[in-house]
Amino acid sequence: MSGPLLLAQSFDPAFVSLLEKLRKKYPAELFSLTGIAPEQLDIDFMSRQFFRASNRKGSATADHSIDPNANVSGRGVITFNYEVPKPYMKLNSLYNLWRTLCEQFTMEAADAAIEAEMIGAIYINDSWDIGRPYCFNYSMYDIALEGLKMGGRLNIVPAKGLFTFLRHVEQFTVYAANSTLGATGLADLLIVISRYVDDMLDTGYDNHIKVGGESRVWTYVAEHLTSLIYTLNWEFRGNQSPFTNVSVYDDAFLGQLVPAYVINGKAPRMETVKKVQDIFLSCFNQVLERDPATFPVVTACFSLAEDGKELADPAFVKRIAEHNLKFGFINIYVGETSTLSSCCRLRSNINDLGYANSFGAGSTKIGSLGVCTLNLPALARDASAETAGKDNEAAVREMLEMVGAMTQMVGFINHAKRCFIADRIERGSLPLYKLGYMELKRQFSTCGFTGLYEAVHILGYDMREPEGLEVAKRILERINQTNGFLTELLGTPHNMEQVPGESSAVKLARKDSLRGRNPEGWELYSNQFVPLWEEGVDLLDRIRIQGELDGYCTGGAICHLNVADRIEKPETMEALIRHAAASGVVYFAINYAINRCLDGHMTVGHGVDYCPICGKRITDTYTRVVGFLTNTKHWNATRREHDWPHRTFLKTKEQTA
């Protein structure tokens, strides 16, 4: 033996030199928060940490991963095999990003991007794997018409009945969810399902399976929809369930969408689609009575009447209000019918692809290639460094310049990822593109942002007041203007989203603290226009502010309307939905705390210790960490200890009466 075994990597020496320079320049913990510290790259050390801590009380899987995710709860070898190697993948991904930036732009731009990620000026979402796209909203119509083409050895022909079609959907979801990093949208699923239901209603058969008369058909449909819900919650995306979304639509949306779904010479009947939607929502409520189902995220799509204020389909509003009473599981989207038209798949104007968000809601055949997030509090801190408390307007102008420059950096980073993905498509490594299920040109390069509320505060304003609200609008408008410039410059679609920020909002606040840029001591930055833990803000305030700013977020934002106890009257739920829509809120959820006791009863109530049904102790509480229900025990430590305990759940007038 001549010496120790050296496990060297073949990175470009210039990249290694850059990391060494950053290591000497900044606190070591920045490397840990980024996920590439020496101890994280020591797989033996990480293994011991993972398994020795797995039985500690209060320890979650999120505490032992560089990519915390409340959708990951397991502590077994499958989770270990997915989570522990991520530091290596992150280091390699950062290298590939740096190399592609050098090729597409300059080494100076590449170095600046890696440094910005390291210090927390930006957060490159899912940067542990830049070789996979972020999210896409697939069309189930493709599967109905063409079957499954990604089987490799198999050529699976189109289904002739509901039973087979749902198996195709499940098989496709397994493949698609493991081919992307974020949401696997199945938004139009229920529309396609309805076409097979029509055949059953006409013949009494599901292809060769005898079903019977109309009542038996609907029982059969309910059983299969319930089975699908359970299947989509199974952890077949490695160590987590796939992040899926299904939408239900009002009459105005259905009138635009349904005629385009012609299968075997016929489109589904509108009345069938509406009943399938209702049965699906009833099935989801029944599942939630037994089990805390997280997926699919359910989005109800409402269209606006001509006045732009009232909702166009009062009957649909009433039905959604009734379905949402028990567990508040439905997310609400409000928009014009054109934003979700199935014809959008044919549009070539990259500025008008349609609506899409990180939860998988929106138009079909659309998505996000990659997300890179601006740390707005950090930019505000730098902008106000010389003018704090002296000239707030000067600080705002400086902030706008910084926002423009950093948005351009984000655009270049996303463009580098696009080039890297395009190369993998050409090499046959991402088959869903060449098979026609995905389209690169229909995926946005998304500029995310977090901490807008804190940024406005740092600049000397209060976003709850008119002056502060105007500052917030100017910041968002500058991002949109820069995205417009990037769209023209690079010839690719760019949009903006207030990111969910489940882990990034925590890491960015911590990085700022390490660098002396968080004197307020914020444990995490807000992923809402008004933080969920802000006191003195009622539901109407939250709706008002969200309505003023939502229209700027071309890639989406979600507003949590946290309600302390179950709303009992449909009229109250309906009034909340109508008021939010009239105020300009685009995407929101009436959000409960859902509890499970020792006997498994599922009930609603914030701050409840004992089950109102059996009196036994509450063991688990579920609520939206961002846009979907998760167990608060599985949140990362900061969200468990500083976010959840301080979230404000407000009583409605109904509850205080």
Side-chain angles (χ1 to χ4, degrees):
M1 298 291 288
S2 58
L5 176 65
L6 299 178
L7 302 175
Q9 304 293 327
S10 58
F11 297 133
D12 188 308
F15 177 72
V16 177
S17 177
L18 170 65
L19 292 186
E20 182 62 18
K21 182 182 75 173
L22 297 177
R23 186 183 68 82
K24 293 177 180 178
K25 185 177 179 181
Y26 295 112
E29 193 178 338
L30 289 179
F31 274 71
S32 296
L33 290 165
T34 303
I36 56 171
E39 65 272 14
Q40 292 166 319
L41 295 167
D42 179 347
I43 196 164
D44 177 61
F45 173 82
M46 292 294 286
S47 299
R48 284 183 277 116
Q49 286 294 106
F50 182 90
F51 286 112
R52 288 179 180 177
S54 63
N55 292 321
R56 291 177 187 168
K57 185 178 180 180
S59 175
T61 304
D63 300 332
H64 307 288
S65 172
I66 70 165
D67 180 41
N69 181 348
N71 190 28
V72 177
S73 58
R75 297 181 180 185
V77 293
I78 296 175
T79 298
F80 168 82
N81 287 336
Y82 271 85
E83 298 302 318
V84 171
K86 281 184 177 179
Y88 283 101
M89 298 184 70
K90 172 101 179 210
L91 182 61
N92 190 56
S93 285
L94 289 178
Y95 171 66
N96 282 320
L97 178 64
W98 176 87
R99 181 173 53 80
T100 309
L101 281 165
C102 288
E103 294 169 355
Q104 296 296 319
F105 302 101
T106 65
M107 185 178 289
E108 289 75 16
D111 288 353
I114 298 301
E115 183 169 8
E117 159 74 3
M118 189 70 66
I119 66 175
I122 60 172
Y123 183 90
I124 305 172
N125 297 59
D126 293 298
S127 56
W128 63 274
D129 187 2
I130 72 159
R132 280 189 287 173
Y134 181 59
C135 65
F136 202 72
N137 201 346
Y138 303 91
S139 177
M140 298 298 96
Y141 188 45
D142 290 341
I143 297 174
L145 294 183
E146 301 176 18
L148 296 182
K149 298 179 291 185
M150 82 289 292
R153 295 169 298 164
L154 305 175
N155 181 27
I156 303 174
V157 300
K160 295 181 180 179
L162 178 63
F163 177 86
T164 304
F165 174 71
L166 290 179
R167 302 297 81 74
H168 288 182
V169 170
E170 292 165 357
Q171 292 157 7
F172 176 82
T173 302
V174 172
Y175 193 90
N178 285 287
S179 299
T180 53
L181 295 163
T184 300
L186 314 172
D188 59 1
L189 174 64
L190 299 179
I191 296 176
V192 179
I193 283 174
S194 300
R195 179 64 189 84
Y196 299 101
V197 176
D198 279 342
D199 284 345
M200 284 191 287
L201 291 169
D202 291 342
T203 67
Y205 280 82
D206 180 17
N207 190 16
H208 63 279
I209 303 171
K210 185 175 181 179
V211 179
E214 182 176 346
S215 64
R216 292 184 64 85
V217 167
W218 291 119
T219 300
Y220 181 87
V221 170
E223 288 174 348
H224 281 282
L225 290 177
T226 300
S227 175
L228 179 66
I229 292 168
Y230 275 102
T231 298
L232 292 178
N233 281 276
W234 191 256
E235 295 178 350
F236 54 72
R237 191 186 190 179
N239 62 335
Q240 59 182 286
S241 49
F243 193 134
T244 52
N245 175 284
V246 169
S247 293
V248 295
Y249 304 94
D250 70 4
D251 278 5
F253 275 120
L254 290 178
Q256 292 286 326
L257 292 166
V258 170
Y261 285 80
V262 177
I263 302 170
N264 295 328
K266 297 179 182 178
R269 295 192 284 263
M270 281 277 289
E271 289 308 309
T272 302
V273 178
K274 291 164 70 172
K275 184 154 187 177
V276 167
Q277 290 185 160
D278 276 338
I279 289 176
F280 175 79
L281 296 174
S282 295
C283 290
F284 213 105
N285 266 313
Q286 290 165 16
V287 169
L288 285 171
E289 289 175 356
R290 301 185 294 267
D291 297 293
T294 297
F295 298 111
V297 175
V298 180
T299 297
C301 300
F302 293 84
S303 53
L304 290 167
E306 290 184 3
D307 64 3
K309 294 289 186 182
E310 293 295 321
L311 295 173
D313 185 352
F316 184 73
V317 180
K318 184 175 182 179
R319 290 202 305 277
I320 294 301
E322 290 171 348
H323 284 298
N324 207 37
L325 280 178
K326 197 160 192 178
F327 293 107
F329 68 95
I330 303 173
N331 291 355
I332 309 294
Y333 167 75
V334 181
E336 300 174 358
T337 54
S338 61
T339 62
L340 296 185
S341 171
S342 62
C343 299
C344 75
R345 72 185 70 185
L346 303 178
R347 293 178 185 167
S348 59
N349 183 353
I350 59 177
N351 289 304
D352 192 22
L353 293 182
Y355 177 85
N357 68 22
S358 285
F359 308 116
S363 309
T364 56
K365 306 286 276 192
I366 190 174
S368 178
L369 182 79
V371 182
C372 189
T373 299
L374 299 174
N375 180 352
L376 293 181
L379 296 181
R381 190 76 62 192
D382 289 342
S384 64
E386 302 297 329
T387 59
K390 302 173 186 176
D391 189 342
N392 291 342
E393 174 57 27
V396 171
R397 292 195 299 269
E398 179 69 16
M399 170 75 167
L400 296 178
E401 293 301 313
M402 291 182 175
V403 166
M406 293 304 292
T407 302
Q408 181 168 304
M409 175 187 282
V410 163
F412 288 175
I413 290 170
N414 280 327
H415 189 72
K417 177 169 181 173
R418 186 178 295 270
C419 294
F420 191 83
I421 291 288
D423 180 70
R424 286 206 165 175
I425 294 170
E426 284 303 307
R427 294 174 186 273
S429 299
L430 293 166
L432 290 176
Y433 287 94
K434 288 194 173 182
L435 292 172
Y437 294 105
M438 301 178 74
E439 295 181 53
L440 190 61
K441 66 181 180 180
R442 297 193 57 77
Q443 287 183 280
F444 287 105
S445 291
T446 299
C447 176
F449 69 87
T450 195
L452 179 62
Y453 187 86
E454 291 84 358
V456 171
H457 171 82
I458 292 168
L459 293 170
Y461 298 89
D462 185 340
M463 209 164 81
R464 296 170 295 184
E465 302 297 330
E467 282 188 338
L469 202 54
E470 286 304 310
V471 171
K473 291 177 181 178
R474 290 166 66 185
I475 292 170
L476 299 182
E477 183 58 34
R478 179 56 61 92
I479 298 173
N480 284 332
Q481 289 171 354
T482 308
N483 276 338
F485 164 75
L486 290 165
T487 295
E488 297 298 322
L489 176 69
L490 301 173
T492 53
H494 292 251
N495 70 348
M496 175 180 67
E497 177 175 286
Q498 183 172 229
V499 296
E502 180 187 340
S503 62
S504 62
V506 175
K507 290 183 177 181
L508 292 177
R510 178 59 185 158
K511 285 188 174 185
D512 285 347
S513 293
L514 289 170
R515 298 180 60 228
R517 285 167 166 75
N518 184 6
E520 293 85 357
W522 287 310
E523 295 287 343
L524 71 165
Y525 294 140
S526 57
N527 64 352
Q528 304 271 301
F529 288 123
V530 180
L532 293 171
W533 49 85
E534 190 70 19
E535 295 182 1
V537 181
D538 62 19
L539 292 182
L540 297 182
D541 290 328
R542 197 172 291 281
I543 289 170
R544 173 182 60 83
I545 294 168
Q546 188 86 18
E548 290 277 351
L549 299 175
D550 237 1
Y552 292 87
C553 295
T554 52
I558 187 169
C559 178
H560 288 190
L561 301 177
N562 288 344
V563 178
D565 298 300
R566 178 176 285 148
I567 295 174
E568 300 295 339
K569 299 177 182 177
E571 297 83 5
T572 304
M573 179 72 72
E574 187 175 339
L576 265 177
I577 294 171
R578 287 186 179 281
H579 179 69
S583 300
V585 181
V586 175
Y587 199 70
F588 62 98
I590 289 92
N591 190 43
Y592 296 153
I594 303 173
N595 304 307
R596 182 165 64 177
C597 72
L598 283 167
D599 276 356
H601 297 125
M602 300 289 288
T603 57
V604 168
H606 179 252
V608 177
D609 294 323
Y610 296 94
C611 176
I613 296 174
C614 66
K616 292 187 178 179
R617 181 172 290 279
I618 298 297
T619 59
D620 299 273
T621 298
Y622 303 82
T623 195
R624 287 172 175 84
V625 61
V626 280
F628 58 100
L629 297 174
T630 56
N631 191 331
T632 57
K633 287 181 179 178
H634 298 157
W635 296 7
N636 63 59
T638 300
R639 288 206 177 273
R640 291 197 308 270
E641 297 165 10
H642 297 280
D643 175 3
W644 171 239
H646 297 102
R647 284 195 185 185
T648 302
F649 280 71
L650 301 172
K651 290 185 177 292
T652 65
K653 289 183 179 179
E654 170 191 294
Q655 294 164 347
T656 57

